Amino acid sequence: MTPAAHDDVPAVLAIDGGNSKTDLALVSAEGAVLVAMRGPGSGAPTADSLAPMVEQIAAAAGIHPGRPVAAHLSACLAGVDLPEQEEALAAAVAVRGWTASTRVLNDSFALLRSGIQRPWGVAVVCGAGMNCVGVAPDGRSARFLALGHSSGDWGGGLWLGNEIVGAAVRAEDGRGPATALSVLVARHFGRATAHEVSLAGHVGALGEEPFVSLTPLLFEAAREADPVAIALVERQADEVFLMARTVIDRLGLAGDVEVVLGGGILASGDPLLTVPVEMRLKEHSPSAVPRYPEIPPIAGAALLGLDHLGVPERAHARLRAAYSRPTRASMPTRASWG
């Protein structure tokens, strides 16, 4: 009998960890969300940083210390970017004895699974940064280093923020064309000029990574036909498509491949970005199906756990239904078993 078959232990302990927050859930083999809660984020997750949150969700579920928390741990975490890092963290977590089996992946895989209806496809993340992963029907996967400029990446909120301020400053000092971004950037930070904004950011007067908040201004200017803003949005659309196309080609995916478009910038659904991305996808892969996740990444992590355990499809449907209610993922719940 497998651990998942016991009535006294949840099937999956799911974790979706980002830089700003970590979501956890205990899920039954039938796809019921037994307990869900949220903890702090971590840029470089470790077994020690995860331990207090695991202990907290176990306590909320009434699981006594020292007992297994679930049959399988499915953790999808930001800051775990390379396969070697995934394996090392999985080994460190496994010795804690929380579950009988453990799998650790980059958080992009949670986005992928949350947006697709089957366990294979492609996902592009365009949020603070950029990433893309893909899984083939035979289990092969493809990914990028996603380390930023040094690994060939372009785009995401952090990158675009710097591009926006740079374009605004260049317009002011004469090196670049005039753009409405100069006024919008200065106004956003309560400064007289974009030059002052750039200087304030350089000396740390605007806080950590302040320019990531500027992306909405870019789309505002692009909607008003600002050429500089339009060029940046078009470049971002190109990069999203290029990542998806490359993974599709590397894995040899054909037919109605699902392409999940997620992360804060894509999830905003602005047609200035999504329409050109979808058009390029259709030109390259006419049967490709763009997807925008309707459930959060924590549900994707849980679905990956259910995949691992080989539970019936109805459990997947039940889990999706639970997370389609917006408050469920972030509201702690209680249930008892055993």
Side-chain angles (χ1 to χ4, degrees):
M1 179 179 290
T2 65
H6 290 293
D7 293 333
D8 60 348
V9 62
V12 177
L13 168 59
I15 304 177
D16 172 60
N19 292 322
S20 61
K21 61 179 176 59
T22 301
D23 285 323
L24 299 90
L26 284 170
V27 177
S28 76
E30 291 75 35
V33 180
L34 304 171
V35 185
M37 59 178 47
R38 177 165 290 174
S42 173
T46 64
D48 287 341
S49 67
L50 294 174
M53 292 180 279
V54 173
E55 293 167 1
Q56 184 180 1
I57 197 169
I63 298 173
H64 296 295
R67 291 191 59 193
V69 180
H72 178 67
L73 171 62
S74 176
C76 298
L77 307 168
V80 184
D81 300 310
L82 306 174
E84 296 82 0
Q85 293 174 315
E86 294 170 345
E87 294 169 4
L89 183 54
V93 167
V95 300
R96 300 294 180 117
W98 297 328
T99 55
S101 58
T102 299
R103 191 180 189 194
V104 174
L105 294 168
N106 179 263
D107 60 338
S108 300
F109 287 94
L111 171 68
L112 171 61
R113 193 62 183 93
S114 69
I116 56 180
Q117 300 300 312
R118 54 203 173 194
W120 64 273
V122 176
V124 184
V125 181
C126 184
M130 290 283 293
N131 204 350
C132 179
V133 298
V135 176
D138 61 7
R140 290 176 299 117
S141 64
R143 63 206 297 177
F144 296 92
L145 287 176
L147 302 176
H149 185 261
S150 64
S151 61
D153 305 331
W154 192 99
L158 292 172
W159 188 292
L160 284 173
N162 284 300
E163 291 285 331
I164 291 165
V165 175
V169 172
R170 288 173 67 88
E172 286 182 348
D173 66 21
R175 287 177 294 165
T179 172
L181 294 171
S182 299
V183 172
L184 292 173
V185 166
R187 182 187 303 156
H188 180 78
F189 288 105
R191 299 299 204 272
T193 64
H195 179 95
E196 291 184 11
V197 171
S198 178
L199 182 59
H202 177 70
V203 300
L206 300 177
E208 187 175 355
E209 306 292 1
F211 300 154
V212 73
S213 64
L214 294 176
T215 305
L217 302 184
L218 176 66
F219 287 96
E220 178 183 339
R223 280 190 292 272
E224 295 299 322
D226 183 89
V228 173
I230 290 172
L232 287 173
V233 173
E234 289 179 344
R235 175 70 189 278
Q236 182 64 88
D238 284 339
E239 290 296 323
V240 171
F241 163 68
L242 283 171
M243 279 190 148
R245 185 202 70 186
T246 302
V247 168
I248 288 171
D249 292 349
R250 283 167 60 183
L251 292 176
L253 301 177
D256 57 341
V257 56
E258 295 175 287
V259 180
V260 183
L261 302 172
I265 295 176
L266 281 168
S268 69
D270 196 303
L272 290 173
L273 179 62
T274 59
V275 169
V277 169
E278 292 184 20
M279 289 177 60
R280 288 164 172 77
L281 280 172
K282 288 294 184 181
E283 290 171 1
H284 180 70
S285 302
S287 298
V289 182
R291 298 284 192 194
Y292 298 89
E294 297 179 352
I295 56 176
I298 180 61
L303 286 166
L304 286 169
L306 295 179
D307 292 341
H308 175 84
L309 296 174
V311 303
E313 181 59 33
R314 62 177 179 272
H316 294 75
R318 184 177 184 184
L319 180 71
R320 287 184 177 277
Y323 274 102
S324 68
R325 297 190 290 275
T327 59
R328 182 62 182 269
S330 57
M331 293 289 289
T333 60
R334 281 182 178 270
S336 60
W337 53 85

